[in-house]
Amino acid sequence: MELRQVVYASHERFPFEGLGLVALLSHARARNAAHGITGVLLYADGAFVQCLEGPAAAVDALFARIERDPRHRDVVLLHALPVARRHFGAWWMGCARVHDFRVLARIRDEWDAAIDVLDHDDALSPGFVLVKSIWEDYARAGLIERD
């Protein structure tokens, strides 16, 4: 089975705070589990950076739905690559609320600067390394919403 990793950034069209975000995560987790998709969502001040991993067809179909989803605007695909392994295999959809919007902007900037030199075997662009680093820091601090 070919695994694909998709990372994208977007902005919310309507606020996802409180119960709206909880409902979104609950639905995403159930759907992702049914389709073998894992990943994480970083959220700050109405902006998202999300990494999705799983069977290529399932991940591509999910991203296509996200692009059409009226709750998202300014969807930017940062990368869509085959990967040898999952980086977030323990999460149907982990979520961390990042407290500084500039961190998400930095991820996008680093991806833009490094997109031509991605390691296509392991998808370790500087932006991906930053996503992973933020995720691990938030996990250590207990700031992750559990699946």
Side-chain angles (χ1 to χ4, degrees), residues 13-95:
R13 198 172 294 277
F14 312 104
F16 276 113
E17 287 296 329
L19 293 178
L21 185 58
V22 170
L24 174 79
L25 290 171
S26 177
H27 177 75
R29 289 172 177 153
R31 185 177 195 104
N32 288 355
H35 291 93
I37 296 173
T38 56
V40 297
L41 174 72
L42 302 178
Y43 172 73
D45 297 328
F48 300 100
V49 172
Q50 185 171 25
C51 177
L52 302 167
E53 302 170 323
V59 169
D60 289 344
L62 175 55
F63 181 67
R65 279 194 309 278
I66 289 167
E67 286 184 300
R68 294 186 309 269
D69 189 325
R71 297 172 295 184
H72 288 270
R73 65 178 174 81
D74 305 326
V75 177
V76 176
L77 178 64
L78 299 174
H79 82 220
L81 300 170
V83 290
R85 64 184 175 89
R86 295 175 190 255
H87 292 269
F88 301 106
W91 302 92
W92 295 120
M93 182 47 54
C95 179

Side-chain angles (χ1 to χ4, degrees), residues 52-140:
L52 302 167
E53 302 170 323
V59 169
D60 289 344
L62 175 55
F63 181 67
R65 279 194 309 278
I66 289 167
E67 286 184 300
R68 294 186 309 269
D69 189 325
R71 297 172 295 184
H72 288 270
R73 65 178 174 81
D74 305 326
V75 177
V76 176
L77 178 64
L78 299 174
H79 82 220
L81 300 170
V83 290
R85 64 184 175 89
R86 295 175 190 255
H87 292 269
F88 301 106
W91 302 92
W92 295 120
M93 182 47 54
C95 179
R97 291 183 185 160
V98 178
H99 300 289
D100 188 347
F101 173 78
R102 292 170 297 179
V103 171
L104 298 187
R106 183 172 158 214
I107 292 170
R108 284 184 64 168
D109 291 345
E110 289 191 15
W111 242 299
D112 290 343
I115 197 70
D116 293 331
V117 294
L118 285 175
D119 176 349
H120 291 276
D121 292 330
D122 210 19
L124 295 180
S125 71
F128 179 78
V129 171
L130 186 57
V131 167
K132 197 138 160 82
S133 172
I134 291 167
W135 186 257
E136 290 167 354
D137 288 349
Y138 273 65
R140 279 192 294 274

